[in-house]
DNA sequence: GTGCGGATTAGCT
DNA sequence: GCTAATCCGCACG
């Protein structure tokens, strides 16, 4: 029998993110992003991410110089980097690696698995895709904005847990089980070029997008 | 101060 | 497939 734990107690620490970026990308797939505040409690399974890493990556905001916008990327791993794109959508990144090496992982798609204010069980895959498939959409669903920029992953409002999350929509309760105890959390990880970075010259050819090819919630095959 | 363009999305052809 | 929407960071002057 798997061990039931309080969800907050199983959240990933900064240490998890202070590692080599591509390794963290692979390890993040299949884990759960949790958003919670007084009025909301929402969970999604991470199924698609992209790495933006180092000084040579022309697709990365940190390829030029350190500015007030990208400075979080230069800091230690384990903090959120949020930016506004096209004047309309926020994008959620988690900074990786050690201090002064700029790197972050863009969360591109999550599969909604719980929402205190919605009955996800009654939604079609198509409807759920609109909530969590795409970096702009998932931030809109989770109410993530610039206020999370520079915030630690060890905070209360937004965190990642490796545990399987079981929810009961009727009673609005959740339980978490250790990932090792479950056989339902398999990922088939595939890499590709990153989306929307054609302007980045040679860097655009890097296959730094990682996704679970078995998921119906990825942005593209 | 001005101008450009983007780690996107929705809606239409 | 094409393009409008809509803001701000950043380079240049």
């Amino acid at each position: 029998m798997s061990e039931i734990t309080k969800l907050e107690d199983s959240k990933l620490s900064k240490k998890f993110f202070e590692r080599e970026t591509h390794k963290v990308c692979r390890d993040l797939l299949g884990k759960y992003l949790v958003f919670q505040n007084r009025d909301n409690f929402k969970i999604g399974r991470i199924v698609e991410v992209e790495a933006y890493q180092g000084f040579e990556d022309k697709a990365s905001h940190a390829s030029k110089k350190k500015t007030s916008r990208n400075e979080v990327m230069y800091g230690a791993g384990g903090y959120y980097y949020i930016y506004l794109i096209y004047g309309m959508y926020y994008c959620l990144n988690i900074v990786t690696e050690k201090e002064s090496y700029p790197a972050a992982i863009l969360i591109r798609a999550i599969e909604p698995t719980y929402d205190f204010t919605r009955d996800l069980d009654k939604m079609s895959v198509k409807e759920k895709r609109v909530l969590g498939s795409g970096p702009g959409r998932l931030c809109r669903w989770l109410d993530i904005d610039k206020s999370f920029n520079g915030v630690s992953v060890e905070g209360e409002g937004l965190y990642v847990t490796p545990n399987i999350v079981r929810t009961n929509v009727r009673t609005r309760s959740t339980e978490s089980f250790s990932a090792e105890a479950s056989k339902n959390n398999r990922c088939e990880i595939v890499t590709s070029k990153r989306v929307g970075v054609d302007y980045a010259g040679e860097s655009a050819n890097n296959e730094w997008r990682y996704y679970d090819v078995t998921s119906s919630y990825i942005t593209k095959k």
Side-chain angles (χ1 to χ4, degrees):
Chain A
M1 185 61 189
S2 44
E3 188 184 345
I4 300 173
T5 59
K6 208 173 157 215
L7 202 53
E8 296 96 306
D9 295 339
S10 64
K11 78 178 70 161
L12 297 181
S13 67
K14 291 177 188 172
K15 195 129 188 125
F16 176 90
F17 297 97
E18 291 186 310
R19 296 183 297 139
E20 199 279 317
T21 307
H22 300 285
K23 184 144 183 51
V24 180
C25 280
R26 291 178 179 279
D27 290 347
L28 262 186
L29 294 175
K31 293 189 170 42
Y32 293 82
L33 183 65
V34 182
F35 173 92
Q36 60 180 356
N37 62 22
R38 200 188 54 195
D39 306 311
N40 294 285
F41 188 42
K42 304 171 186 177
I43 304 173
R45 183 174 183 272
I46 299 170
V47 296
E48 179 179 333
V49 300
E50 281 176 357
Y52 290 83
Q53 177 237 43
F55 300 92
E56 307 301 317
D57 179 9
K58 293 289 181 286
S60 169
H61 292 163
S63 66
K64 292 172 185 170
K65 63 175 190 178
K66 191 172 169 180
T67 65
S68 59
R69 180 210 205 186
N70 65 22
E71 63 179 352
V72 181
M73 282 188 76
Y74 286 78
Y79 292 86
Y80 298 114
Y81 168 47
I82 316 287
Y83 63 89
L84 181 68
I85 189 68
Y86 298 108
M88 273 165 284
Y89 301 98
Y90 291 100
C91 288
L92 169 67
N93 298 253
I94 307 180
V95 177
T96 55
E97 313 260 357
K98 303 288 188 191
E99 172 90 36
S100 56
Y101 183 80
I105 295 172
L106 172 67
I107 310 297
R108 285 193 54 85
I110 58 180
E111 172 182 346
T113 55
Y114 187 78
D115 187 333
F116 187 89
T117 60
R118 290 174 203 259
D119 191 346
L120 294 177
D121 285 355
K122 288 183 179 160
M123 293 177 75
S124 65
V125 169
K126 189 179 172 186
E127 289 170 318
K128 282 197 271 193
R129 278 177 56 87
V130 174
L131 296 184
S133 185
R137 286 175 177 157
L138 72 90
C139 283
R140 187 179 58 188
W141 176 46
L142 298 180
D143 301 316
I144 292 168
D145 61 19
K146 207 81 192 286
S147 68
F148 281 98
N149 192 48
V151 170
S152 164
V153 295
E154 295 178 1
E156 296 299 310
L158 186 65
Y159 56 87
V160 181
T161 172
N163 285 5
I164 297 292
V165 179
R166 298 274 166 70
T167 64
N168 184 321
V169 174
R170 192 176 53 76
T171 63
R172 291 183 165 178
S173 64
T174 64
E175 296 169 329
S176 71
F177 299 79
S178 72
E180 295 74 27
S182 173
K183 291 177 180 171
N184 298 324
N185 197 24
R186 293 226 184 84
C187 284
E188 191 176 324
I189 300 176
V190 172
T191 65
S192 77
K193 292 180 181 178
R194 293 169 293 182
V195 178
V197 297
D198 292 342
Y199 59 86
E202 287 292 299
S203 297
N205 294 322
N206 293 334
E207 300 213 334
W208 288 359
R209 171 172 173 253
Y210 298 81
Y211 60 99
D212 177 0
V213 74
T214 68
S215 173
S216 302
Y217 297 85
I218 56 176
T219 60
K220 56 168 68 172
K221 285 282 182 184

